[in-house]
Amino acid sequence: MQFEILDLRHFSASSLRPVLDEESRLWSDRLRWDYRTSADLLLQYLDSRVLPGYVAVENGRISGYVFCVYEEHKAIIGDVFSLSSAAADVQGQLLRHLIELLRHSPGIDRIECQLLLHPHGLHAEIFREAGFKLFRRLFMELDLSHFEPSPSRPALPEGLALSTWRENDFHPAGYLIADAYSGHLDSFINDQYRSVGGSLRFLHNIVRFPGCGLFDPASSRTLTRKADGSLAGVLLCSRVRDDVGHVTQVCVGRDQRRLGLGRRLIEECAENLRGRGFRGLTLTVTEENANAVELYRHVGFVEKHSFDAMVWDRSWR
Ligand SMILES: CC(C)(COP(=O)(O)OP(=O)(O)OC[C@H]1O[C@@H](n2cnc3c(N)ncnc32)[C@H](O)[C@@H]1OP(=O)(O)O)[C@@H](O)C(=O)NCCC(=O)NCCS
């Protein structure tokens, strides 16, 4: 298979459209996501010609692409995709080129990548050879037409109030996320979780920006400590298709765990969505986060797909 790898910034959005259309189909089949909003966002960035990345060109046509975004000293490889008959090879070459570029960029100290669409192990060797650490993540789904909430719900602990997400929960949620994930494996995979500032950036992407579906405040829940207004728990849900919700965040404060609150947040979300005619609720979880995986299984989520998260840090050398 003959193909050339060229700089993404030289190409217009329209030349990538056939690749993105095919990718959107796969997102829908494999993950039940409507990828069109994300694809449109990507096309806007492509037209501004600032997105670092590469395209594969076969017989004069673009057959694949890879791109990344920068966040201070970190690069996040956003996606890789190819519709070539040798897609895995083309994707592998695209990834090699981008990883090489980033590792030789003195301003970049860290690279993160989650290839949600691609099955676990597909590009593992390329990342391992380049010094990345890999973590298997699960994509799980709850069929809302068969969902039954727990028959008996324990009363909420004294001093906590359960509410629908409000805009003024934004800052308290940043504090809760940074605390809930301190020392947690997921903060090794996504370093935004390690600080309040990073957690607020994460929230910004989820709540105010259509980066991961469209935020759905009506099914998102908070647990507020009545005494000081701080949060003891949060669940954020986005709409990834007309009838499918996706949990982008669920966490409970350390002092309130194992009381059934995580389960309560998920069940509240699922009930809200079911009542509004949604058919499914999905989420992703790191396989090693065994408590969370166990909790999701108890609620009725089943594993539909698994993929890899990769991290590289210059300080490891
Ligand atoms: C995962 C998390 C939200 C669970 O919240 P929680 O309020 O402690 O969960 P619950 O009390 O509702 O637990 C429900 C079930 O989960 C399982 N579980 C939860 N914590 C557990 C633990 N520490 N050890 C073993 N099982 C545990 C139990 O099987 C429990 O089952 P039960 O219904 O038989 O009691 C919470 O631990 C947390 O915030 N962790 C850090 C952030 C995180 O990992 N979020 C998920 C990312 S995908």
Side-chain angles (χ1 to χ4, degrees):
M1 177 60 56
Q2 290 286 313
F3 58 88
E4 270 185 296
I5 303 282
L6 300 170
D7 191 323
L8 176 65
R9 289 167 300 184
H10 298 159
F11 294 84
S12 68
S14 58
S15 55
L16 265 105
R17 196 169 270 286
V19 181
L20 288 171
D21 285 348
E22 180 57 27
E23 184 175 9
S24 298
R25 260 194 294 281
L26 203 58
W27 276 86
S28 171
D29 290 352
R30 197 168 282 170
L31 307 171
R32 303 180 76 197
W33 282 37
D34 181 350
Y35 191 64
R36 283 171 303 179
T37 323
S38 307
D40 286 346
L41 202 65
L42 192 59
L43 290 167
Q44 279 175 31
Y45 281 116
L46 286 168
D47 265 340
S48 66
R49 310 280 171 120
V50 292
L51 214 54
Y54 292 99
V55 292
V57 180
E58 271 175 61
N59 303 321
R61 305 236 319 256
I62 293 182
S63 74
Y65 75 102
V66 65
F67 76 92
C68 74
V69 292
Y70 295 133
E71 198 189 280
E72 297 172 350
H73 295 286
K74 174 168 89 169
I76 302 157
I77 300 180
D79 207 353
V80 61
F81 186 73
S82 169
L83 44 72
S84 164
S85 53
D89 273 3
V90 174
Q91 287 167 187
Q93 284 301 327
L94 288 163
L95 284 168
R96 280 200 178 90
H97 272 74
L98 187 56
I99 292 169
E100 187 71 7
L101 171 80
L102 295 173
R103 287 178 42 183
H104 288 98
S105 302
I108 298 299
D109 293 333
R110 184 178 166 86
I111 310 170
E112 292 178 358
C113 177
Q114 296 205 28
L115 297 179
L116 181 54
L117 187 61
H118 301 288
H120 161 66
L122 183 65
H123 296 303
E125 232 16 72
I126 292 166
F127 283 94
R128 266 198 205 101
E129 276 169 15
F132 281 73
K133 294 197 169 128
L134 278 75
F135 303 89
R136 183 166 185 241
R137 305 203 74 224
L138 311 178
F139 177 85
M140 301 180 86
E141 183 178 346
L142 177 68
D143 178 351
L144 291 175
S145 52
H146 292 115
F147 164 70
E148 286 299 332
S150 317
S152 60
R153 279 186 181 165
L156 285 179
E158 191 80 1
L160 288 189
L162 178 67
S163 326
T164 302
W165 172 270
R166 290 159 301 199
E167 185 52 29
N168 60 4
D169 291 319
F170 192 90
H171 277 90
Y175 281 90
L176 169 65
I177 292 171
D179 182 54
Y181 285 90
S182 101
H184 191 290
L185 178 59
D186 286 0
S187 71
F188 184 81
I189 296 173
N190 176 0
D191 73 351
Q192 286 182 323
Y193 287 165
R194 292 183 202 168
S195 65
V196 174
S199 298
L200 289 171
R201 276 201 302 280
F202 163 83
L203 281 167
H204 179 84
N205 283 335
I206 295 296
V207 172
R208 297 183 176 155
F209 197 74
C212 181
L214 203 60
F215 180 58
D216 187 51
S219 60
S220 299
R221 294 285 179 274
T222 54
L223 286 162
T224 307
R225 294 187 186 91
K226 292 177 198 161
D228 60 5
S230 65
L231 290 191
V234 70
L235 180 146
L236 303 176
C237 181
S238 287
R239 195 173 190 144
V240 289
R241 207 174 80 176
D242 278 355
D243 56 356
V244 179
H246 182 78
V247 177
T248 54
Q249 178 59 250
V250 56
C251 63
V252 169
R254 292 166 188 284
D255 54 333
Q256 303 283 349
R257 290 195 186 153
R258 306 236 53 201
L259 300 172
L261 296 176
R263 187 174 187 136
R264 178 74 180 265
L265 288 169
I266 296 167
E267 291 191 349
E268 289 273 340
C269 172
E271 271 192 289
N272 174 279
L273 294 175
R274 190 183 58 177
R276 291 160 59 205
F278 280 63
R279 290 151 61 113
L281 178 61
T282 60
L283 54 78
T284 59
V285 57
T286 311
E287 189 178 40
E288 277 182 59
N289 191 1
N291 297 338
V293 175
E294 187 71 0
L295 162 59
Y296 303 147
R297 288 201 176 117
H298 282 180
V299 176
F301 281 84
V302 290
E303 185 184 328
K304 288 281 172 160
H305 169 68
S306 74
F307 62 100
D308 289 321
M310 282 69 70
V311 188
W312 175 88
D313 197 302
R314 196 175 293 283
S315 67
W316 295 341
R317 285 192 302 176

